[in-house]
Structures are given as structure tokens and as C-alpha cells.
């Protein structure tokens, strides 16, 4: 059943992530390689880490015309910035993700979740965004063996030294110890 076009809003050709497929001329088998550097979109990340807005994203893409549309595949590399999940120090690293998306010419061939071309234009931002969010580490760490923070006092264990520890006193004995301390000033350490 022919449905009304889902593309109610037309893509803005000036948007950096909107790519023209004009060169492919809708001829199946036509291919084009391209390398691009694009500014990262805003709000791309999870709680602890993400790609900073406007950071340089390096794309290595292959656009290929197929019967139903244009197949985009390739890789994207982007810098990451965030916080160590254990010690809260700043963390910076890099991420590389694989991209693959078929952009359909017509929504008659496509299902609800599929991407569509808007004329000769496609918007690669949602594809990039989804790939990055899936690949982000849930608990980024500044280094694999980051010792994190002391659960008792919150001091950074890497700086506090190996002998940092607290005398553990069972809450039930704490009040008794108070009594002993009152009586005995020569309390052992
Ligand atoms: Zn850390
Ligand atoms: Zn401590």
C-alpha cells in the first residue's frame, strides 16, 4: 500500500552530515569512495563519556548505488572525552566505529526503521550517532588498573599510597570502644 511520504522535513544540503549522492546517478553498481572530516554533532554521548561537540570526525566512506537505494559503508573515527568511572579524573581517548546503512530511494521498499534518501541527499548523522552510542564504554577508566577512590573517605587511592586504610570498627562495638577509650588513654593505634 503506498503510504504518504515519511519525509515531512527536507534535508538541509548545507548541513555538514547531509551528503549528496548525485555522482552515483542511481546506476546500480556505481561506487564512490570518499574521505571527509566533519564536526561532531551536539549531545553525542552517555553519562560518563562522549564525543565533544564540533570535534573532528574522520570518515572513510564508500557509497554504492544498489537497486533499492544507496549503500553507505565505512568507518568513522572520533575523539572521546569524559570522566573515569572509578576516580572521576578526566579521560580522553578515541573511538572507531563501522558504519553501514542502506538509504532507500522510496519508502515503498523500506520498512519503518529504514533510512530514506531525500532526492539525492542522505543524512549520515543518525547512522553515525547510533554506531557511536553502541560502541561507547559504559564505565570508562583512566587506565585499566585505576584503583579508584577510597570508599571510606573518598581520597584518590593512587595518590594516597598503598598503605592507605581505615581501622574498620563494627558499628556495634563502636560505642563500647568509646567507653574503653575514655578509660584508657594509652589506647593502641
Ligand atoms: Zn581513574
Ligand atoms: Zn580513605
Amino acid at each position: 500500500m503506498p503510504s504518504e511520504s515519511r519525509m515531512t522535513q527536507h534535508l538541509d544540503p548545507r548541513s555538514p552530515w547531509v551528503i549528496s549522492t548525485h555522482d552515483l546517478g542511481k546506476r546500480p553498481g556505481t561506487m564512490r569512495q570518499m574521505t571527509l572530516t566533519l564536526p561532531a554533532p551536539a549531545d553525542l554521548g552517555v553519562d560518563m563519556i562522549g564525543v565533544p561537540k564540533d570535534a573532528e570526525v574522520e570518515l572513510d566512506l564508500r557509497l554504492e548505488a544498489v537497486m533499492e537505494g544507496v549503500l553507505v559503508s565505512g568507518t568513522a573515527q572520533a575523539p572521546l572525552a569524559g570522566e573515569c568511572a572509578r576516580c572521576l579524573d578526566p579521560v580522553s581517548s578515541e573511538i572507531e566505529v563501522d558504519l553501514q546503512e542502506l538509504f532507500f530511494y522510496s519508502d515503498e521498499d523500506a520498512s519503518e526503521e529504514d533510512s530514506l534518501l531525500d532526492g539525492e541527499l542522505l543524512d549520515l548523522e543518525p547512522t553515525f550517532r547510533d554506531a557511536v552510542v553502541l560502541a561507547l564504554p559504559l564505565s570508562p577508566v583512566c587506565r585499566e588498573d585505576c584503583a579508584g577512590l577510597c570508599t571510606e573517605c573518598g581520597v584518590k587511592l593512587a595518590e594516597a599510597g598503598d598503605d592507605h586504610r581505615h581501622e574498620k570498627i563494627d558499628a556495634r562495638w563502636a560505642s563500647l570502644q568509646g567507653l574503653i577509650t575514655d578509660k584508657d588513654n594509652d589506647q593502641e593505634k
Side-chain angles (χ1 to χ4, degrees):
M1 187 172 72
S3 55
E4 260 180 77
S5 174
R6 300 200 305 268
M7 191 90 63
T8 47
Q9 260 186 321
H10 280 290
L11 296 176
D12 179 357
R14 286 165 306 176
S15 162
W17 287 84
V18 170
I19 292 170
S20 170
T21 65
H22 178 79
D23 294 357
L24 298 173
K26 290 199 177 188
R27 290 182 300 276
T30 314
M31 218 197 296
R32 192 173 139 215
Q33 305 267 152
M34 59 202 292
T35 54
L36 290 168
T37 304
L38 298 178
D43 303 320
L44 178 49
V46 292
D47 289 351
M48 306 292 289
I49 198 154
V51 180
K53 183 181 183 305
D54 293 330
E56 287 188 354
V57 181
E58 311 267 355
L59 295 145
D60 197 348
L61 299 177
R62 195 173 82 155
L63 274 63
E64 190 180 354
V66 296
M67 289 301 289
E68 309 88 349
V70 174
L71 178 66
V72 179
S73 52
T75 58
Q77 266 187 304
L80 288 180
E83 273 179 357
C84 174
R86 293 183 203 153
C87 73
L88 306 179
D89 265 3
V91 170
S92 59
S93 63
E94 221 180 43
I95 195 170
E96 178 169 331
V97 292
D98 290 323
L99 305 176
Q100 182 154 33
E101 186 86 37
L102 176 55
F103 293 84
F104 287 84
Y105 293 128
S106 156
D107 59 1
E108 286 174 39
D109 299 323
S111 74
E112 279 294 311
E113 301 84 43
D114 288 328
S115 304
L116 293 176
L117 282 150
D118 176 18
E120 294 177 328
L121 301 177
L122 61 82
D123 183 4
L124 200 58
E125 189 192 310
T127 306
F128 171 66
R129 189 177 276 280
D130 289 353
V132 167
V133 169
L134 280 175
L136 285 175
L138 287 175
S139 300
V141 285
C142 59
R143 47 172 224 249
E144 279 310 313
D145 62 347
C146 171
L149 303 177
C150 172
T151 52
E152 295 282 316
C153 69
V155 79
K156 200 180 296 173
L157 289 174
E159 286 170 9
D162 290 341
D163 55 352
H164 179 82
R165 55 179 54 86
H166 298 263
E167 295 297 335
K168 287 260 165 61
I169 299 159
D170 189 303
R172 286 168 297 177
W173 297 106
S175 52
L176 279 178
Q177 205 203 20
L179 294 174
I180 294 163
T181 311
D182 288 343
K183 276 199 283 190
D184 182 5
N185 291 330
D186 301 327
Q187 188 208 5
E188 284 177 55
K189 275 220 276 190

